[in-house]
Amino acid sequence: MEISALQKARAAYQPKLPQALKGPVVAVEGAPTQSVGNQEEIKAMFPNTYGMPVITFKAGEAKPLQPFNVGIILSGGQAPGGHNVISGLYDGVKSLNPNSKLYGFLMGPGGLVDHKYVEFTDEFIDSYRNTGGFDIIGSGRTKLEEVSQFESGIQILRKLDIKALVIIGGDDSNTNACVLAEYYAAKNYGVQVIGCPKTIDGDLKNEQIETSFGFDTACKTYSELIGNIQRDCNSARKYWHFIKLMGRSASHIALECALQTQPNACLISEEVEQKAMSLDDVVTYIAQIVADRAADGNNFGTILIPEGLIEFIPAIKKLIAELNDVLASPEAQNLGRSEQIDYVKSHIAQDNLAVFNSLPTSVARQLALDRDPHGNVQVSLIETEKLLSTMVAAKLDRWKKEGKYVGKFAAQHHFFGYEGRCAAPSNYDADYCYSLGYNASRLIANGKTGYMSVIKNTTKPAAEWIAGGVPITMMMNLERRNGKMKPVIRKALVELDGAPFKFFASARAGWAKNTSYIYPGPIQYWGPTEVCDQCTKTLALEQAK
Amino acid sequence: MEISALQKARAAYQPKLPQALKGPVVAVEGAPTQSVGNQEEIKAMFPNTYGMPVITFKAGEAKPLQPFNVGIILSGGQAPGGHNVISGLYDGVKSLNPNSKLYGFLMGPGGLVDHKYVEFTDEFIDSYRNTGGFDIIGSGRTKLEEVSQFESGIQILRKLDIKALVIIGGDDSNTNACVLAEYYAAKNYGVQVIGCPKTIDGDLKNEQIETSFGFDTACKTYSELIGNIQRDCNSARKYWHFIKLMGRSASHIALECALQTQPNACLISEEVEQKAMSLDDVVTYIAQIVADRAADGNNFGTILIPEGLIEFIPAIKKLIAELNDVLASPEAQNLGRSEQIDYVKSHIAQDNLAVFNSLPTSVARQLALDRDPHGNVQVSLIETEKLLSTMVAAKLDRWKKEGKYVGKFAAQHHFFGYEGRCAAPSNYDADYCYSLGYNASRLIANGKTGYMSVIKNTTKPAAEWIAGGVPITMMMNLERRNGKMKPVIRKALVELDGAPFKFFASARAGWAKNTSYIYPGPIQYWGPTEVCDQCTKTLALEQAK
């Protein structure tokens, strides 16, 4: 297989480890823990994995260890650094006993259920060190939730003599890892389960987890592109660029990219929801920025839009909920496409009708007509960046007639997501992921299950990083999912009283009016440490508090 | 102004120069030259600037030089490295006499006509060294073609005591630079004009010019993104990514990105035209690749599409030409929108009607209804990447029914252009551009006009680069533009018998069937030379012949 010059050179990079992990460790246990909410219920659901202490590793004495086998699974969407978690785990397992083996289950959790796997070797691992992607074993979205899956899994785990399973995933996958840990513990199956915090969305973080891996690299890749577009926009001086960024639930990516690039506007879904802004409020907010810059002769700019924005606008959320109800009726389903729109209009509430009628025709049609296999409106198909620029253009036209706006408005649209999920990891993610994987081997050797591998203090040099484990139950509470209360890891949305948002909020009026663009450029792997080894602005601001 | 850590560190980079330019130079003149075509006509049009020799600079004796002032203009679309041409010219001019001055005309050639300019200082120049963008003085698309513009220009040039003007631009801007040089020479105005070869499209190259600047950085930036998408695509294994790349006239960008990333397919407009492929031929070509991969269980892949593709399909070109005629009639212009479509259908020839009817409805509507201010069909509005994926999906559906295809087809779409035009220049472009600018100062000092600054042998280390000048008339021939024969620099399209295309053509069947992706990663400025200092694959293949 032909590989690029960068891959060849980068393969030699030796990721940094926390000082404590460089030799034999001893686990220092803290006090018993509690879940972040619904303590009684969570405790009842996880009798074997609830209340365990937080663990920190310190330098310890070397002890001989029997060979042991470990399995690993990549779950859900890709994130830069997944291959380094695996290579870190591989090196960690081998360092404890060279005869230990690491197996990878193929194409996600489904590989465990269907008994599809591969054994890692030195050569195999070496060709994936410090590379992006999840292609080493593939990923998948099968959810490990059913007893039949757990029982199918134990068969192959026993056959391969696997002592512990590491699951790399987001909040849902880690919740399921804990359910599996609890099940195997309750059944005395003798298989430990360890989780690893992954997601480019950055919404798996809390008091115990500083950041999910991949967020750093993905945001730096998007910020490179946003910076390049801003430089173009500031040179040509004739376009407004509407840039949508991946992230359905939380706006961490948009916020981080805004902190890195200082665009003229960045919408934060959580703020839009909290202020109960209407779609027209959002459009007016943008149009006013465009008009103010036009008054200075600046008919150009950049606007960052989180992918999930539209679902956070309360009026749209309400409209969508009613559309789902109205269109689900058997009566509606028997109608032709154009009749469905009339049906919708005559069956939804007055306030929803007003919102529906305010949408550009193409978007209204899409909302009323295109549904997913469960019959739900497909919000994700809406090109929010085009919806907003169309509505901004219409509003500016009105303002022009009213004499409130003098300028030219032309828009370009972008959507960045796939461009960053599989980028080669930054030094930060390469080190962080390798440490998470290596650390997981120490949790396994110490007999832990139902823990997440955790590395803290990552705004400091790697030698000062703190390695350990946190019981997954500690991060859980109960939330309603598909009509049922379920134990889940609480998703971290952008906190409007958190340091990153507050910094953004204090600076954005200046960024809107002036041209304060920053051009971060491409991720660098060699060169000055202030260029190559920085964490995200989000994390730096959070840790500086 | 806040700048990024990368910009700060990168500002200190000292671009490399050809050995000959490191000290005083002497101009070595070759034999008289001829234009590439229409010699008699071009000679008659350019009596003062025709037939001049190619010049090469060698090390010479230092001679004291009086201070002299120079002006510079950025013309047309942005390309990475423009700021380094300016800083190279600045350093070159100052090295000849520290009291010389460099002026920049603002927002393109219009700045010369309207007398808008700025004087460069050390501090000003230093803040733009090795950065992307044209924002140092802005660019513009005003064409210098009229005597009134030339006369307006000479007023400000005289006022500022400017001895020479450097115009950074593509083929058209360099043609106009030569027209201006000829005019000022004929009038004995005493102002020299020098051109510089710029365009990310890579279509300004010939026997004398190895490459236009910016092509290297733009292609590397797009290839980074394509590589990231390919890694994602190979991890998730469920999407076909249709990736459109900027470049209306030539497919050099698509070809270079294909050479760097080895996608499953890459369309080359020049080949489509030469083979007289129909839109259905193009769709069938892609669908067959999708079907063949599906047969191996690979329901994913990447397809590169040059922006201008659709205009190179002879049948579409013909349809567009007739649409422009038919819709120009006064009768058609008085019709409503939906009536216009019926009018079109009843007024175009049978073969064009068949092509029109084969298009997806939305594209047909767009072709028939959306026209530019001159009344022409707006081909550039067509989202070729979506057009093709829609038609491929329809064809695969038919094949599925016929039992010729078993698989799943889901598409994602991307368009990359603005992401690369203003990227910070690669080492290659940083060095090449700085040398082009520095070299221009030597052409000026040697009294040359109507020359393009040229640096050759750039596949070798910079010390071996050859600096000199080429008479712009040498690259000209006559071509029909807006109904008139005009002297123009011949545009370099992809040569189907050239080494880059031939290599691609020999490898593409393997890339189509197998997954041979290369992941180039982001441009690196520090680190091993094989990572940081490579030229494009196109240039390497061309020079290796």
Side-chain angles (χ1 to χ4, degrees), chain B residues 266-317:
Chain B
C266 172
L267 299 165
I268 301 295
S269 299
E270 291 85 342
E271 183 185 27
V272 167
E273 182 172 48
Q274 194 251 320
K275 291 188 173 170
M277 289 172 83
S278 67
L279 184 55
D280 185 62
D281 290 339
V282 172
V283 169
T284 303
Y285 171 71
I286 299 172
Q288 193 59 56
I289 290 173
V290 173
D292 289 347
R293 283 178 64 80
D296 295 343
N298 295 323
N299 290 300
F300 64 92
T302 48
I303 300 182
L304 307 190
I305 304 157
E307 189 184 6
L309 178 75
I310 198 156
E311 294 172 81
F312 280 78
I313 297 175
I316 301 271
K317 213 176 189 173

Side-chain angles (χ1 to χ4, degrees), chain A residues 20 93 169 189 204 209 251 305-306 424 456 474 540:
Chain A
V93 164
Y189 282 173
L204 174 49
I209 298 171
S251 300
I305 303 157
K456 294 196 208 186
M474 190 182 176

Side-chain angles (χ1 to χ4, degrees), chain A residues 2 4 78 132 134-135 224 228 231-232 235 262 383 412 414 418-419 421 519 523-525, chain B residues 2 4 78 132 134-135 224 228 231-232 235 262 383 386 412 414 418-419 421 519 523-525:
Chain A
E2 199 178 333
S4 69
Q78 282 75 251
F134 276 10
D135 45 307
E224 172 199 355
N228 288 356
R231 194 116 216 184
D232 199 295
S235 300
Q262 303 188 174
E383 296 180 291
Q412 297 287 344
H414 313 267
Y418 298 100
E419 291 78 0
R421 300 199 313 177
Y519 314 115
I523 290 173
Q524 296 296 302
Y525 300 111
Chain B
E2 198 176 334
S4 69
Q78 282 77 252
F134 276 11
D135 45 307
E224 172 200 355
N228 287 357
R231 194 117 216 182
D232 199 296
S235 301
Q262 303 188 172
E383 294 181 291
K386 291 186 185 166
Q412 295 288 343
H414 312 267
Y418 298 101
E419 291 78 0
R421 302 198 314 176
Y519 315 113
I523 291 173
Q524 297 296 303
Y525 300 110

